[in-house]
Amino acid sequence: MNLKRSILFILALLLLNSCDKKRVFDEYKTVGDNWKKSDIVSFSFKESDTTKAYNLFVNLRNNDNYEFNNLYLIVALEQPDGLVKRDTLQYEMTNPDGTLLGDGFSDIKENKLFYKEKMRFNKLGTYKVHIQHAVRKTGKVVGVEALEGVTEVGFRIESL
């Protein structure tokens, strides 16, 4: 009986994994339940095709401890030659009633946030992506030092 369950479980995993044909790169890093402003989450990947276009996403897992309506991120894309392109991004994180946006049945939600659409990597080599939060309380100049409720930060590349 356990052998049947194990085989079914393995088959289910293979089936779920094969359904994600667009995935080129997909990785998460844990930041705990207090993402510090000084903690930059970095990802590294190699690009070997300068002719294809991709969609890029920042993925986020958060829970009910996230107290803000929006999320502000600074995302830097470092090219193989060292050139860095930096963007400040804003994402809506809650519905008007205050409930968290995102996928998930429990208090943990997963958000797939668009970063760049139809992006072409013009240079061959290793690219790096650096992500840090830039959340501030309304009317405050100094940013939030430890952002509660964000547990994991991810980066995803999908083929078109």
Side-chain angles (χ1 to χ4, degrees), residues 78-130:
E78 185 179 337
Q79 297 180 5
D81 62 1
L83 179 68
V84 177
K85 294 183 180 181
R86 193 174 320 275
D87 294 295
T88 303
L89 308 168
Q90 176 186 0
Y91 299 102
E92 198 171 287
M93 298 299 289
T94 64
N95 291 305
D97 67 359
T99 57
L100 291 174
L101 292 171
D103 295 328
F105 296 109
S106 67
D107 68 331
I108 297 173
K109 300 295 182 188
E110 185 164 341
N111 291 274
K112 185 177 178 181
L113 310 169
F114 248 111
Y115 168 45
K116 293 201 179 276
E117 189 174 12
K118 298 178 183 173
M119 164 85 181
R120 290 188 194 279
F121 297 103
N122 296 325
K123 298 175 178 124
L124 298 175
T126 301
Y127 285 77
K128 296 177 185 170
V129 174
H130 310 286

Side-chain angles (χ1 to χ4, degrees), residues 30-35 62-66 146-151:
T30 300
V31 293
D33 196 37
N34 286 306
W35 185 13
N62 60 305
N63 60 38
D64 286 340
N65 292 335
Y66 190 80
L147 185 61
E148 290 186 42
V150 176
T151 59

Side-chain angles (χ1 to χ4, degrees), residues 15-55:
L15 181 64
L16 286 174
N17 221 10
S18 65
C19 292
D20 197 3
K21 293 184 192 281
K22 290 184 176 184
R23 179 182 63 205
V24 174
F25 179 87
D26 194 6
E27 186 177 322
Y28 278 89
K29 297 206 174 161
T30 300
V31 293
D33 196 37
N34 286 306
W35 185 13
K36 291 181 179 50
K37 185 173 143 182
S38 60
D39 289 346
I40 299 173
V41 181
S42 297
F43 302 92
S44 180
F45 60 93
K46 288 189 186 255
E47 182 52 49
S48 58
D49 188 343
T50 59
T51 62
K52 290 183 180 178
Y54 302 95
N55 287 332

